[in-house]
Every structure is written in C-alpha cells, then in structure tokens.
Amino acid sequence: MKKSNDIDFLLGVIGYPIEHSLSPIIHEYWMNKNNIKGNYKAFNIKPENIKATLEGMRAFNIKGLNVTVPHKRVVIKYLDTIDKDAEELGAVNTIVNKNGILKGYNTDGVGFMYGLDKFKNWNKNDPILIIGSGGAASSVLYYLIRNDVKNIRIMNRTKAHIKKLKNLYVNIIE
C-alpha cells in the first residue's frame, strides 16, 4: 500500500457497477513495477452523478479516468473536447485532465491494433474472431475496417447485437 506522500497523482475507472473491475489491481501493478508514484481507484458512479463526477475530476485534479458501462456515451456532453475517433464512435473510454481541460478518447481499437502489430507474422489478410459485440467490439471493428482487414468474424450470445454492428460496418461477415 502506498503512503499518501508517495502519490503524485490519482487515476481511476468509473462505472456502475464497478466492484468486479480488475483495473485497479492491473494498473497499480504496472505503476509499482515502473516506479510511477500514482494511485488508481475504482469509482462506483451512478448515472445521475456523472456531471458531478467530472466536475470533481477537475476540482481534485484527477489526471485520468477510464470509463466503462454505462457511462461511455453520456460522459461526452460533459467533456471540453473529444478526439476524432471517439466522436465517430460516439463513445469515450478514457478521459485525460490537462490543466482542467477534460478530453475524451476511445482507445479500445488502438490498443487492439497495437497488440496485433506485436505479432510479427500477422497480416491484414489473417482471420480475426471477436467474441462479444459491446462497445469495445465496436471500437475494435472500426479500427480493423479502417486498416483494411476484411476477414472478420463476430460471435455473441445475442444475434441482434451482431446485426446492429453489421449495420454499422457493412463489410463485416457473420
């Protein structure tokens, strides 16, 4: 456990419910491993408290928040700016506070593509299977399509969700 004088900044994840999140364990591990003097917490935020939460982010100088369900879309209206990808996707999963200016990003697809690029023998003609059709899947599909990947499969418990994604991204094959 870090002492308060060992902490230079605060980061966290907001969602509702959030008790199941492993984000604090993962982020604290990497922060400790890299000697980063910060703290990462999970904040259980009810939907009606989003505006106050982002005002608190500014007031307490929280440097960054990850955003998960059900807040990825609603936070947008309380941010000062969002990047192009988050705007096109209509969802934010990362908020950065720089001198009181809150900027939203959608990093799911970027992170996925970064991971693929680490595979030395991977190429855009290889098949991709995405399990699930939620917000992260939509972001991943956006980036795959933008990078000319054509052989994409989606598996999900609910076919209606796959059809919704297929309507957004017409070149996806079930």
Side-chain angles (χ1 to χ4, degrees), residues 103-145:
K103 184 169 182 178
Y105 300 87
N106 192 306
T107 62
D108 290 323
V110 172
F112 184 82
M113 294 305 295
Y114 178 80
L116 284 181
D117 289 342
K118 290 295 179 187
F119 287 104
K120 292 182 173 51
N121 296 323
W122 180 84
N123 70 65
K124 66 181 180 180
N125 297 315
D126 288 339
I128 300 286
L129 172 64
I130 297 175
I131 301 172
S133 63
S138 182
S139 180
V140 167
L141 286 171
Y142 170 83
Y143 276 89
L144 288 171
I145 291 166

mmCIF file of all heavy atoms in Angstrom, residues 103-145:
data_model
loop_
_atom_site.group_PDB
_atom_site.id
_atom_site.type_symbol
_atom_site.label_atom_id
_atom_site.label_comp_id
_atom_site.label_asym_id
_atom_site.label_seq_id
_atom_site.Cartn_x
_atom_site.Cartn_y
_atom_site.Cartn_z
ATOM 1 N N LYS A 103 -10.436 15.979 -21.869
ATOM 2 C CA LYS A 103 -10.503 15.484 -23.238
ATOM 3 C C LYS A 103 -10.785 13.994 -23.222
ATOM 4 O O LYS A 103 -10.151 13.236 -22.486
ATOM 5 C CB LYS A 103 -9.203 15.760 -23.997
ATOM 6 C CG LYS A 103 -9.279 15.339 -25.469
ATOM 7 C CD LYS A 103 -8.114 15.832 -26.282
ATOM 8 C CE LYS A 103 -8.276 15.433 -27.748
ATOM 9 N NZ LYS A 103 -7.185 15.927 -28.587
ATOM 10 N N GLY A 104 -11.734 13.568 -24.070
ATOM 11 C CA GLY A 104 -12.121 12.170 -24.152
ATOM 12 C C GLY A 104 -11.516 11.474 -25.354
ATOM 13 O O GLY A 104 -11.366 12.067 -26.426
ATOM 14 N N TYR A 105 -11.197 10.203 -25.153
ATOM 15 C CA TYR A 105 -10.615 9.361 -26.190
ATOM 16 C C TYR A 105 -11.337 8.019 -26.194
ATOM 17 O O TYR A 105 -11.930 7.618 -25.199
ATOM 18 C CB TYR A 105 -9.130 9.089 -25.911
ATOM 19 C CG TYR A 105 -8.271 10.314 -25.854
ATOM 20 C CD1 TYR A 105 -8.121 11.020 -24.670
ATOM 21 C CD2 TYR A 105 -7.603 10.764 -26.983
ATOM 22 C CE1 TYR A 105 -7.325 12.153 -24.606
ATOM 23 C CE2 TYR A 105 -6.794 11.893 -26.927
ATOM 24 C CZ TYR A 105 -6.661 12.583 -25.736
ATOM 25 O OH TYR A 105 -5.871 13.703 -25.687
ATOM 26 N N ASN A 106 -11.225 7.314 -27.309
ATOM 27 C CA ASN A 106 -11.652 5.925 -27.359
ATOM 28 C C ASN A 106 -10.420 5.125 -27.760
ATOM 29 O O ASN A 106 -9.958 5.216 -28.893
ATOM 30 C CB ASN A 106 -12.791 5.704 -28.348
ATOM 31 C CG ASN A 106 -13.401 4.340 -28.180
ATOM 32 O OD1 ASN A 106 -12.694 3.333 -28.223
ATOM 33 N ND2 ASN A 106 -14.697 4.299 -27.958
ATOM 34 N N THR A 107 -9.895 4.345 -26.829
ATOM 35 C CA THR A 107 -8.614 3.675 -27.024
ATOM 36 C C THR A 107 -8.722 2.164 -27.251
ATOM 37 O O THR A 107 -7.696 1.509 -27.445
ATOM 38 C CB THR A 107 -7.696 3.912 -25.814
ATOM 39 O OG1 THR A 107 -8.309 3.347 -24.652
ATOM 40 C CG2 THR A 107 -7.456 5.399 -25.594
ATOM 41 N N ASP A 108 -9.923 1.607 -27.220
ATOM 42 C CA ASP A 108 -10.068 0.160 -27.365
ATOM 43 C C ASP A 108 -9.486 -0.357 -28.673
ATOM 44 O O ASP A 108 -8.706 -1.307 -28.682
ATOM 45 C CB ASP A 108 -11.549 -0.255 -27.273
ATOM 46 C CG ASP A 108 -12.121 -0.105 -25.886
ATOM 47 O OD1 ASP A 108 -11.391 -0.363 -24.906
ATOM 48 O OD2 ASP A 108 -13.299 0.255 -25.778
ATOM 49 N N GLY A 109 -9.849 0.255 -29.765
ATOM 50 C CA GLY A 109 -9.377 -0.196 -31.073
ATOM 51 C C GLY A 109 -7.897 0.039 -31.268
ATOM 52 O O GLY A 109 -7.184 -0.814 -31.819
ATOM 53 N N VAL A 110 -7.401 1.172 -30.804
ATOM 54 C CA VAL A 110 -5.974 1.482 -30.908
ATOM 55 C C VAL A 110 -5.173 0.429 -30.151
ATOM 56 O O VAL A 110 -4.166 -0.084 -30.655
ATOM 57 C CB VAL A 110 -5.673 2.886 -30.333
ATOM 58 C CG1 VAL A 110 -4.185 3.140 -30.255
ATOM 59 C CG2 VAL A 110 -6.345 3.961 -31.150
ATOM 60 N N GLY A 111 -5.624 0.093 -28.952
ATOM 61 C CA GLY A 111 -4.923 -0.915 -28.147
ATOM 62 C C GLY A 111 -4.939 -2.281 -28.802
ATOM 63 O O GLY A 111 -3.936 -3.003 -28.787
ATOM 64 N N PHE A 112 -6.071 -2.632 -29.387
ATOM 65 C CA PHE A 112 -6.177 -3.919 -30.067
ATOM 66 C C PHE A 112 -5.215 -3.978 -31.252
ATOM 67 O O PHE A 112 -4.493 -4.957 -31.435
ATOM 68 C CB PHE A 112 -7.617 -4.153 -30.535
ATOM 69 C CG PHE A 112 -7.829 -5.497 -31.150
ATOM 70 C CD1 PHE A 112 -8.045 -6.606 -30.363
ATOM 71 C CD2 PHE A 112 -7.809 -5.653 -32.532
ATOM 72 C CE1 PHE A 112 -8.246 -7.856 -30.925
ATOM 73 C CE2 PHE A 112 -7.999 -6.895 -33.116
ATOM 74 C CZ PHE A 112 -8.218 -7.999 -32.305
ATOM 75 N N MET A 113 -5.194 -2.925 -32.054
ATOM 76 C CA MET A 113 -4.306 -2.894 -33.218
ATOM 77 C C MET A 113 -2.835 -2.910 -32.778
ATOM 78 O O MET A 113 -2.007 -3.550 -33.415
ATOM 79 C CB MET A 113 -4.585 -1.663 -34.090
ATOM 80 C CG MET A 113 -5.945 -1.664 -34.748
ATOM 81 S SD MET A 113 -6.310 -3.121 -35.752
ATOM 82 C CE MET A 113 -5.103 -2.971 -37.050
ATOM 83 N N TYR A 114 -2.523 -2.238 -31.709
ATOM 84 C CA TYR A 114 -1.156 -2.259 -31.180
ATOM 85 C C TYR A 114 -0.759 -3.693 -30.830
ATOM 86 O O TYR A 114 0.347 -4.133 -31.133
ATOM 87 C CB TYR A 114 -1.055 -1.350 -29.956
ATOM 88 C CG TYR A 114 0.313 -1.340 -29.323
ATOM 89 C CD1 TYR A 114 1.335 -0.578 -29.860
ATOM 90 C CD2 TYR A 114 0.572 -2.094 -28.184
ATOM 91 C CE1 TYR A 114 2.596 -0.577 -29.288
ATOM 92 C CE2 TYR A 114 1.835 -2.099 -27.601
ATOM 93 C CZ TYR A 114 2.841 -1.337 -28.156
ATOM 94 O OH TYR A 114 4.082 -1.348 -27.587
ATOM 95 N N GLY A 115 -1.683 -4.420 -30.181
ATOM 96 C CA GLY A 115 -1.423 -5.818 -29.848
ATOM 97 C C GLY A 115 -1.196 -6.672 -31.082
ATOM 98 O O GLY A 115 -0.290 -7.512 -31.118
ATOM 99 N N LEU A 116 -2.025 -6.472 -32.106
ATOM 100 C CA LEU A 116 -1.839 -7.229 -33.354
ATOM 101 C C LEU A 116 -0.493 -6.925 -33.995
ATOM 102 O O LEU A 116 0.175 -7.819 -34.510
ATOM 103 C CB LEU A 116 -2.953 -6.912 -34.357
ATOM 104 C CG LEU A 116 -4.310 -7.547 -34.114
ATOM 105 C CD1 LEU A 116 -5.274 -7.138 -35.217
ATOM 106 C CD2 LEU A 116 -4.220 -9.054 -34.030
ATOM 107 N N ASP A 117 -0.112 -5.665 -33.960
ATOM 108 C CA ASP A 117 1.165 -5.270 -34.565
ATOM 109 C C ASP A 117 2.357 -5.921 -33.864
ATOM 110 O O ASP A 117 3.431 -6.049 -34.457
ATOM 111 C CB ASP A 117 1.324 -3.755 -34.564
ATOM 112 C CG ASP A 117 0.389 -3.082 -35.561
ATOM 113 O OD1 ASP A 117 -0.120 -3.776 -36.467
ATOM 114 O OD2 ASP A 117 0.155 -1.864 -35.422
ATOM 115 N N LYS A 118 2.187 -6.348 -32.632
ATOM 116 C CA LYS A 118 3.260 -7.019 -31.900
ATOM 117 C C LYS A 118 3.469 -8.451 -32.385
ATOM 118 O O LYS A 118 4.507 -9.038 -32.133
ATOM 119 C CB LYS A 118 2.983 -7.017 -30.393
ATOM 120 C CG LYS A 118 3.094 -5.655 -29.769
ATOM 121 C CD LYS A 118 4.518 -5.167 -29.869
ATOM 122 C CE LYS A 118 4.688 -3.802 -29.274
ATOM 123 N NZ LYS A 118 6.005 -3.254 -29.505
ATOM 124 N N PHE A 119 2.455 -9.023 -33.070
ATOM 125 C CA PHE A 119 2.615 -10.350 -33.664
ATOM 126 C C PHE A 119 3.373 -10.188 -34.971
ATOM 127 O O PHE A 119 2.866 -9.629 -35.935
ATOM 128 C CB PHE A 119 1.255 -11.016 -33.926
ATOM 129 C CG PHE A 119 0.570 -11.479 -32.684
ATOM 130 C CD1 PHE A 119 -0.486 -10.759 -32.161
ATOM 131 C CD2 PHE A 119 0.986 -12.627 -32.034
ATOM 132 C CE1 PHE A 119 -1.126 -11.182 -31.009
ATOM 133 C CE2 PHE A 119 0.355 -13.054 -30.882
ATOM 134 C CZ PHE A 119 -0.700 -12.327 -30.359
ATOM 135 N N LYS A 120 4.577 -10.696 -35.014
ATOM 136 C CA LYS A 120 5.454 -10.451 -36.165
ATOM 137 C C LYS A 120 4.941 -11.058 -37.475
ATOM 138 O O LYS A 120 5.197 -10.536 -38.535
ATOM 139 C CB LYS A 120 6.848 -10.977 -35.853
ATOM 140 C CG LYS A 120 7.539 -10.176 -34.774
ATOM 141 C CD LYS A 120 8.929 -10.695 -34.514
ATOM 142 C CE LYS A 120 9.737 -9.884 -33.599
ATOM 143 N NZ LYS A 120 9.343 -9.468 -32.368
ATOM 144 N N ASN A 121 4.208 -12.131 -37.418
ATOM 145 C CA ASN A 121 3.742 -12.781 -38.641
ATOM 146 C C ASN A 121 2.291 -12.456 -38.995
ATOM 147 O O ASN A 121 1.754 -13.010 -39.936
ATOM 148 C CB ASN A 121 3.911 -14.307 -38.523
ATOM 149 C CG ASN A 121 5.364 -14.691 -38.394
ATOM 150 O OD1 ASN A 121 6.232 -14.081 -39.022
ATOM 151 N ND2 ASN A 121 5.644 -15.682 -37.575
ATOM 152 N N TRP A 122 1.654 -11.581 -38.262
ATOM 153 C CA TRP A 122 0.270 -11.245 -38.532
ATOM 154 C C TRP A 122 0.185 -10.300 -39.730
ATOM 155 O O TRP A 122 1.044 -9.445 -39.920
ATOM 156 C CB TRP A 122 -0.366 -10.561 -37.310
ATOM 157 C CG TRP A 122 -1.794 -10.208 -37.550
ATOM 158 C CD1 TRP A 122 -2.853 -11.035 -37.389
ATOM 159 C CD2 TRP A 122 -2.327 -8.969 -38.003
ATOM 160 N NE1 TRP A 122 -4.013 -10.390 -37.720
ATOM 161 C CE2 TRP A 122 -3.720 -9.111 -38.111
ATOM 162 C CE3 TRP A 122 -1.769 -7.745 -38.352
ATOM 163 C CZ2 TRP A 122 -4.557 -8.087 -38.521
ATOM 164 C CZ3 TRP A 122 -2.595 -6.728 -38.762
ATOM 165 C CH2 TRP A 122 -3.975 -6.903 -38.851
ATOM 166 N N ASN A 123 -0.847 -10.489 -40.544
ATOM 167 C CA ASN A 123 -1.106 -9.516 -41.609
ATOM 168 C C ASN A 123 -2.606 -9.329 -41.754
ATOM 169 O O ASN A 123 -3.400 -10.097 -41.219
ATOM 170 C CB ASN A 123 -0.436 -9.936 -42.929
ATOM 171 C CG ASN A 123 -1.091 -11.132 -43.556
ATOM 172 O OD1 ASN A 123 -2.254 -11.075 -43.963
ATOM 173 N ND2 ASN A 123 -0.367 -12.240 -43.653
ATOM 174 N N LYS A 124 -2.994 -8.300 -42.462
ATOM 175 C CA LYS A 124 -4.410 -7.932 -42.529
ATOM 176 C C LYS A 124 -5.280 -8.943 -43.269
ATOM 177 O O LYS A 124 -6.494 -8.825 -43.254
ATOM 178 C CB LYS A 124 -4.574 -6.545 -43.137
ATOM 179 C CG LYS A 124 -4.176 -6.425 -44.584
ATOM 180 C CD LYS A 124 -4.358 -5.006 -45.043
ATOM 181 C CE LYS A 124 -3.971 -4.864 -46.494
ATOM 182 N NZ LYS A 124 -4.134 -3.490 -46.945
ATOM 183 N N ASN A 125 -4.707 -9.935 -43.908
ATOM 184 C CA ASN A 125 -5.498 -10.989 -44.554
ATOM 185 C C ASN A 125 -5.796 -12.158 -43.611
ATOM 186 O O ASN A 125 -6.570 -13.043 -43.959
ATOM 187 C CB ASN A 125 -4.777 -11.498 -45.800
ATOM 188 C CG ASN A 125 -4.640 -10.403 -46.834
ATOM 189 O OD1 ASN A 125 -5.585 -9.673 -47.108
ATOM 190 N ND2 ASN A 125 -3.454 -10.257 -47.384
ATOM 191 N N ASP A 126 -5.175 -12.175 -42.439
ATOM 192 C CA ASP A 126 -5.452 -13.221 -41.454
ATOM 193 C C ASP A 126 -6.870 -13.062 -40.913
ATOM 194 O O ASP A 126 -7.379 -11.946 -40.802
ATOM 195 C CB ASP A 126 -4.472 -13.129 -40.278
ATOM 196 C CG ASP A 126 -3.068 -13.561 -40.643
ATOM 197 O OD1 ASP A 126 -2.913 -14.282 -41.643
ATOM 198 O OD2 ASP A 126 -2.132 -13.183 -39.913
ATOM 199 N N PRO A 127 -7.526 -14.169 -40.559
ATOM 200 C CA PRO A 127 -8.862 -14.068 -39.971
ATOM 201 C C PRO A 127 -8.801 -13.530 -38.545
ATOM 202 O O PRO A 127 -7.852 -13.794 -37.813
ATOM 203 C CB PRO A 127 -9.366 -15.513 -39.984
ATOM 204 C CG PRO A 127 -8.147 -16.352 -40.027
ATOM 205 C CD PRO A 127 -7.099 -15.544 -40.745
ATOM 206 N N ILE A 128 -9.803 -12.772 -38.195
ATOM 207 C CA ILE A 128 -9.941 -12.201 -36.852
ATOM 208 C C ILE A 128 -11.283 -12.654 -36.292
ATOM 209 O O ILE A 128 -12.312 -12.539 -36.968
ATOM 210 C CB ILE A 128 -9.929 -10.655 -36.894
ATOM 211 C CG1 ILE A 128 -8.632 -10.113 -37.483
ATOM 212 C CG2 ILE A 128 -10.208 -10.072 -35.517
ATOM 213 C CD1 ILE A 128 -7.436 -10.204 -36.586
ATOM 214 N N LEU A 129 -11.290 -13.150 -35.063
ATOM 215 C CA LEU A 129 -12.520 -13.512 -34.373
ATOM 216 C C LEU A 129 -12.672 -12.596 -33.180
ATOM 217 O O LEU A 129 -11.789 -12.516 -32.324
ATOM 218 C CB LEU A 129 -12.494 -14.970 -33.894
ATOM 219 C CG LEU A 129 -13.659 -15.396 -32.998
ATOM 220 C CD1 LEU A 129 -14.981 -15.318 -33.747
ATOM 221 C CD2 LEU A 129 -13.411 -16.789 -32.436
ATOM 222 N N ILE A 130 -13.809 -11.897 -33.128
ATOM 223 C CA ILE A 130 -14.130 -11.041 -31.990
ATOM 224 C C ILE A 130 -15.273 -11.709 -31.241
ATOM 225 O O ILE A 130 -16.319 -12.011 -31.824
ATOM 226 C CB ILE A 130 -14.533 -9.626 -32.452
ATOM 227 C CG1 ILE A 130 -13.359 -8.972 -33.167
ATOM 228 C CG2 ILE A 130 -14.983 -8.799 -31.262
ATOM 229 C CD1 ILE A 130 -13.668 -7.637 -33.765
ATOM 230 N N ILE A 131 -15.050 -11.943 -29.964
ATOM 231 C CA ILE A 131 -16.080 -12.552 -29.128
ATOM 232 C C ILE A 131 -16.720 -11.441 -28.312
ATOM 233 O O ILE A 131 -16.072 -10.788 -27.501
ATOM 234 C CB ILE A 131 -15.490 -13.641 -28.214
ATOM 235 C CG1 ILE A 131 -14.836 -14.722 -29.086
ATOM 236 C CG2 ILE A 131 -16.562 -14.226 -27.306
ATOM 237 C CD1 ILE A 131 -14.062 -15.748 -28.311
ATOM 238 N N GLY A 132 -18.013 -11.217 -28.577
ATOM 239 C CA GLY A 132 -18.750 -10.142 -27.938
ATOM 240 C C GLY A 132 -19.071 -9.055 -28.942
ATOM 241 O O GLY A 132 -18.452 -8.966 -30.004
ATOM 242 N N SER A 133 -20.070 -8.239 -28.619
ATOM 243 C CA SER A 133 -20.464 -7.186 -29.562
ATOM 244 C C SER A 133 -20.786 -5.881 -28.849
ATOM 245 O O SER A 133 -21.589 -5.089 -29.314
ATOM 246 C CB SER A 133 -21.674 -7.653 -30.383
ATOM 247 O OG SER A 133 -22.783 -7.877 -29.534
ATOM 248 N N GLY A 134 -20.139 -5.656 -27.718
ATOM 249 C CA GLY A 134 -20.363 -4.423 -26.969
ATOM 250 C C GLY A 134 -19.549 -3.264 -27.508
ATOM 251 O O GLY A 134 -19.067 -3.284 -28.648
ATOM 252 N N GLY A 135 -19.370 -2.266 -26.654
ATOM 253 C CA GLY A 135 -18.680 -1.048 -27.053
ATOM 254 C C GLY A 135 -17.249 -1.263 -27.483
ATOM 255 O O GLY A 135 -16.783 -0.676 -28.462
ATOM 256 N N ALA A 136 -16.519 -2.114 -26.774
ATOM 257 C CA ALA A 136 -15.130 -2.379 -27.152
ATOM 258 C C ALA A 136 -15.073 -3.070 -28.509
ATOM 259 O O ALA A 136 -14.222 -2.754 -29.343
ATOM 260 C CB ALA A 136 -14.436 -3.227 -26.086
ATOM 261 N N ALA A 137 -16.009 -3.992 -28.755
ATOM 262 C CA ALA A 137 -16.050 -4.682 -30.052
ATOM 263 C C ALA A 137 -16.284 -3.690 -31.179
ATOM 264 O O ALA A 137 -15.670 -3.788 -32.240
ATOM 265 C CB ALA A 137 -17.130 -5.754 -30.055
ATOM 266 N N SER A 138 -17.161 -2.728 -30.956
ATOM 267 C CA SER A 138 -17.436 -1.717 -31.979
ATOM 268 C C SER A 138 -16.184 -0.915 -32.300
ATOM 269 O O SER A 138 -15.865 -0.662 -33.463
ATOM 270 C CB SER A 138 -18.559 -0.794 -31.513
ATOM 271 O OG SER A 138 -18.863 0.148 -32.499
ATOM 272 N N SER A 139 -15.448 -0.533 -31.273
ATOM 273 C CA SER A 139 -14.213 0.218 -31.475
ATOM 274 C C SER A 139 -13.171 -0.620 -32.207
ATOM 275 O O SER A 139 -12.502 -0.138 -33.122
ATOM 276 C CB SER A 139 -13.660 0.681 -30.125
ATOM 277 O OG SER A 139 -12.469 1.402 -30.290
ATOM 278 N N VAL A 140 -13.045 -1.891 -31.836
ATOM 279 C CA VAL A 140 -12.099 -2.785 -32.498
ATOM 280 C C VAL A 140 -12.473 -2.948 -33.969
ATOM 281 O O VAL A 140 -11.614 -2.869 -34.862
ATOM 282 C CB VAL A 140 -12.028 -4.146 -31.776
ATOM 283 C CG1 VAL A 140 -11.301 -5.183 -32.608
ATOM 284 C CG2 VAL A 140 -11.356 -3.985 -30.415
ATOM 285 N N LEU A 141 -13.758 -3.145 -34.255
ATOM 286 C CA LEU A 141 -14.207 -3.270 -35.645
ATOM 287 C C LEU A 141 -13.890 -2.014 -36.450
ATOM 288 O O LEU A 141 -13.434 -2.100 -37.590
ATOM 289 C CB LEU A 141 -15.715 -3.534 -35.693
ATOM 290 C CG LEU A 141 -16.145 -4.930 -35.295
ATOM 291 C CD1 LEU A 141 -17.662 -4.997 -35.176
ATOM 292 C CD2 LEU A 141 -15.647 -5.953 -36.285
ATOM 293 N N TYR A 142 -14.128 -0.877 -35.861
ATOM 294 C CA TYR A 142 -13.836 0.405 -36.500
ATOM 295 C C TYR A 142 -12.370 0.451 -36.952
ATOM 296 O O TYR A 142 -12.063 0.801 -38.090
ATOM 297 C CB TYR A 142 -14.158 1.526 -35.515
ATOM 298 C CG TYR A 142 -13.720 2.908 -35.901
ATOM 299 C CD1 TYR A 142 -14.491 3.688 -36.759
ATOM 300 C CD2 TYR A 142 -12.555 3.468 -35.378
ATOM 301 C CE1 TYR A 142 -14.102 4.973 -37.092
ATOM 302 C CE2 TYR A 142 -12.168 4.751 -35.704
ATOM 303 C CZ TYR A 142 -12.944 5.498 -36.565
ATOM 304 O OH TYR A 142 -12.555 6.769 -36.891
ATOM 305 N N TYR A 143 -11.476 0.071 -36.067
ATOM 306 C CA TYR A 143 -10.050 0.105 -36.398
ATOM 307 C C TYR A 143 -9.652 -0.979 -37.391
ATOM 308 O O TYR A 143 -8.824 -0.748 -38.269
ATOM 309 C CB TYR A 143 -9.190 0.025 -35.141
ATOM 310 C CG TYR A 143 -9.013 1.380 -34.519
ATOM 311 C CD1 TYR A 143 -9.910 1.857 -33.591
ATOM 312 C CD2 TYR A 143 -7.960 2.195 -34.908
ATOM 313 C CE1 TYR A 143 -9.764 3.118 -33.044
ATOM 314 C CE2 TYR A 143 -7.807 3.457 -34.375
ATOM 315 C CZ TYR A 143 -8.708 3.913 -33.442
ATOM 316 O OH TYR A 143 -8.569 5.161 -32.913
ATOM 317 N N LEU A 144 -10.218 -2.168 -37.253
ATOM 318 C CA LEU A 144 -9.905 -3.234 -38.208
ATOM 319 C C LEU A 144 -10.329 -2.819 -39.619
ATOM 320 O O LEU A 144 -9.561 -2.979 -40.575
ATOM 321 C CB LEU A 144 -10.605 -4.531 -37.810
ATOM 322 C CG LEU A 144 -10.053 -5.240 -36.575
ATOM 323 C CD1 LEU A 144 -10.974 -6.378 -36.165
ATOM 324 C CD2 LEU A 144 -8.639 -5.730 -36.809
ATOM 325 N N ILE A 145 -11.529 -2.302 -39.744
ATOM 326 C CA ILE A 145 -12.034 -1.883 -41.055
ATOM 327 C C ILE A 145 -11.192 -0.726 -41.596
ATOM 328 O O ILE A 145 -10.829 -0.705 -42.768
ATOM 329 C CB ILE A 145 -13.521 -1.508 -40.968
ATOM 330 C CG1 ILE A 145 -14.340 -2.770 -40.701
ATOM 331 C CG2 ILE A 145 -13.990 -0.814 -42.238
ATOM 332 C CD1 ILE A 145 -15.767 -2.495 -40.274
#
